[in-house]
Amino acid sequence: MVSLPNKQGYYGSFGGRFAPETLMAVLAQLEKQYSAIKKDKTFKKEFEYYLKEYAGRPTNLYLAKRLSTHLKTLKVYLKREDLLHTGAHKINNTLGQILVARRMGKTRIIAETGAGQHGVATATAAALFGLKCVVYMGLADVKRQSLNVFRMKLMGAEVIPVESGSKTLKDAMNEAVRDWVTNVADTFYIIGSVAGFHPYPAMVRDFQSVIGVEARRQFLAKEKRLPDYLLACVGGGSNAMGLFHAFYADPVKMIGVEAAGHGVHSHEHSATLTKGSIGVLHGSKSKLLQDSDGQVQVAHSIAAGLDYPGVGPEHAFYQESRRAQYVTVTDKEAIEGLKLLSRLEGIIPALETSHAIAYLQKLARRVKKTSTVIVCLSGRGDKDMNQISQFI
């Protein structure tokens, strides 16, 4: 049976709605609206229309033959979310949420972004429907993702650099929440991952679950059976949950790859599920990186989209219930993963996705016989070229 939140938004002991009083009414309204929308055939038809005609779904499930030969014991299929409009899986969720925002009569959209792909996708959807858009982005990410900043501004979004804290995704989300508290009447907050206050983790998962639904159908058509493994990078965790959800009840092993940064034994990593502890961050109970006093620690990853000290509550539930395994890959290993896929398949993955590609080599050494694996290729690497040029 698929894991679903109860009425309070909990996945087992994780999740919930820990929000300022100002937001409780709007979150309750959103939950009510979304519950109705999920049953609305007109909404479903409209969402599917934009996914197909605008975003470019379905995406291909590509057999990476040269990569598979190189790995020897793994037959690798890539779910090509990098082929979507805007270059990543984020557009699935932003199109879904902006349709919800329109149903609720909201005229102003806000978002947080790390790698910039969610910001670009939000700016894209806002431009499509003629809505005002403000994107909060940590100053460190503004600098390392300058191309995506330009893309957002070109589409009419206002990008606000956040200079507090670590100047990364966590701090951008803090500022977006502060904005929302002040402007709840006309503003809709499009959260980019399966994190945050209920019902966001479930809503984002549902909109991203198209990844796994398609991949399952495509794999069965190609192989006449289910895959042995699913593999995806995990920061907040939307691309991974998008892939995993459709396979929850199947005998398929799921592996989420976290960012080990400079190593999980250093203080410079983003391995929340591997090294974190239970706490509350951005409105939900999950695993996070925190010190003995409960203060949130600074995360690190070469991939801006994984540079987050928390994780979606459903991933914490998957880990606790042992439905999925969570592993780590360092910055250095991720760069090697990027080079590997680029040179063997002519596909340049985003640094986030490169963590999953890098882990394939570890998985190949682990399996005893030839196995099949679907990797969620969550985004393309154009945005990372300036950053990567320093290491290659």
Side-chain angles (χ1 to χ4, degrees):
M1 182 177 178
V2 174
S3 149
L4 292 172
N6 62 22
K7 291 182 180 180
Q8 288 72 43
Y10 283 89
Y11 302 90
S13 62
F14 301 103
R17 184 185 293 159
F18 299 85
E21 191 63 33
T22 313
L23 293 181
M24 292 303 284
V26 73
L27 286 166
Q29 180 190 21
L30 174 59
E31 181 182 14
K32 182 178 180 180
Q33 288 275 355
Y34 182 60
S35 295
I37 282 168
K38 284 196 295 184
K39 303 170 187 175
D40 188 331
K41 293 181 180 179
T42 302
F43 178 89
K44 182 180 179 182
K45 186 176 180 180
E46 185 179 22
F47 181 45
E48 290 176 347
Y49 168 83
Y50 283 106
L51 287 178
K52 179 183 177 182
E53 300 294 337
Y54 188 72
R57 301 210 72 90
T59 58
N60 299 334
L61 185 68
Y62 167 69
L63 174 59
K65 293 182 180 179
R66 293 195 67 216
L67 179 61
S68 299
T69 299
H70 172 80
L71 294 169
K72 296 180 181 178
T73 58
L74 288 178
K75 188 175 184 180
V76 181
Y77 282 90
L78 304 175
K79 184 54 175 164
R80 297 290 308 275
E81 296 301 289
D82 60 311
L83 297 177
L84 287 171
H85 179 44
T86 73
H89 70 293
K90 295 294 186 179
I91 192 70
N92 302 322
N93 172 52
T94 58
L95 285 172
Q97 285 200 53
I98 209 158
L99 292 176
V100 174
R102 293 178 77 224
R103 290 288 185 99
M104 295 179 69
K106 305 298 182 180
T107 57
R108 180 175 177 266
I109 302 297
I110 61 171
E112 85 295 327
T113 196
Q117 286 302 109
H118 175 59
V120 168
T122 302
T124 300
L128 175 63
F129 292 107
L131 299 178
K132 183 178 179 180
C133 180
V134 176
V135 179
Y136 290 91
M137 191 173 190
L139 184 60
D141 294 334
V142 168
K143 292 177 179 178
R144 61 178 167 175
Q145 297 293 335
S146 57
L147 175 60
N148 275 343
V149 174
F150 177 75
R151 293 168 74 192
M152 285 182 266
K153 289 181 177 179
L154 187 62
M155 288 182 284
E158 180 185 1
V159 181
I160 299 180
V162 177
E163 300 188 36
S164 60
S166 60
K167 304 179 180 65
T168 55
L169 182 57
K170 170 183 72 71
D171 311 289
M173 197 165 185
N174 288 341
E175 290 303 316
V177 171
R178 290 189 185 102
D179 182 319
W180 197 23
V181 169
T182 307
N183 300 288
V184 291
D186 67 343
T187 297
F188 189 97
Y189 181 13
I190 297 183
I191 292 180
S193 197
V194 285
F197 322 96
H198 178 65
Y200 278 100
M203 183 165 61
V204 176
R205 178 206 62 203
D206 290 348
F207 289 141
Q208 292 292 3
S209 65
V210 64
I211 300 171
V213 170
E214 284 180 6
R216 191 179 188 280
R217 181 176 65 245
Q218 291 166 326
F219 194 91
L220 284 170
K222 291 174 183 289
E223 294 284 341
K224 311 304 182 212
R225 66 183 186 91
L226 291 169
D228 298 303
Y229 293 93
L230 305 177
L231 190 63
C233 63
V234 174
S238 64
N239 90 94
M241 194 54 65
L243 177 63
F244 293 174
H245 186 62
F247 293 87
Y248 186 91
D250 297 319
V252 177
K253 296 176 182 177
M254 304 176 181
I255 303 174
V257 185
E258 295 192 291
H262 296 314
V264 293
H265 299 299
S266 72
H267 293 293
E268 297 181 276
H269 65 80
S270 299
T272 306
L273 289 162
T274 305
K275 299 294 288 185
S277 56
I278 296 172
V280 175
L281 179 64
H282 295 140
S284 69
K285 181 182 177 184
S286 188
K287 287 281 195 78
L288 63 141
L289 300 177
Q290 57 187 335
D291 63 21
S292 57
D293 295 321
Q295 296 299 306
V296 179
Q297 295 180 311
V298 175
H300 163 78
S301 173
I302 192 173
L306 303 183
D307 197 346
Y308 182 61
V311 68
E314 194 164 7
H315 281 294
F317 172 79
Y318 272 41
Q319 184 192 48
E320 183 182 65
S321 62
R322 299 185 179 181
R323 183 60 192 91
Q325 176 189 9
Y326 295 87
V327 298
T328 62
V329 159
T330 65
D331 288 351
K332 184 177 180 180
E333 290 170 331
I335 292 169
E336 292 305 310
L338 184 146
K339 289 163 62 177
L340 183 70
L341 189 63
S342 299
R343 293 172 182 177
L344 288 180
E345 296 290 346
I347 299 170
I348 303 174
L351 277 169
E352 290 77 17
T353 303
S354 298
H355 285 70
I357 298 298
Y359 189 76
L360 281 170
Q361 298 186 90
K362 298 181 181 182
L363 181 61
R365 292 192 293 269
R366 198 176 95 190
V367 298
K368 295 180 180 179
K369 61 180 181 178
T370 300
S371 302
T372 55
V373 57
I374 297 176
V375 181
C376 186
L377 196 63
S378 57
R380 63 177 183 241
D382 310 34
K383 66 184 179 63
D384 298 314
M385 289 303 95
N386 286 340
Q387 189 178 359
I388 285 297
S389 65
Q390 304 171 40
F391 302 96
I392 297 178

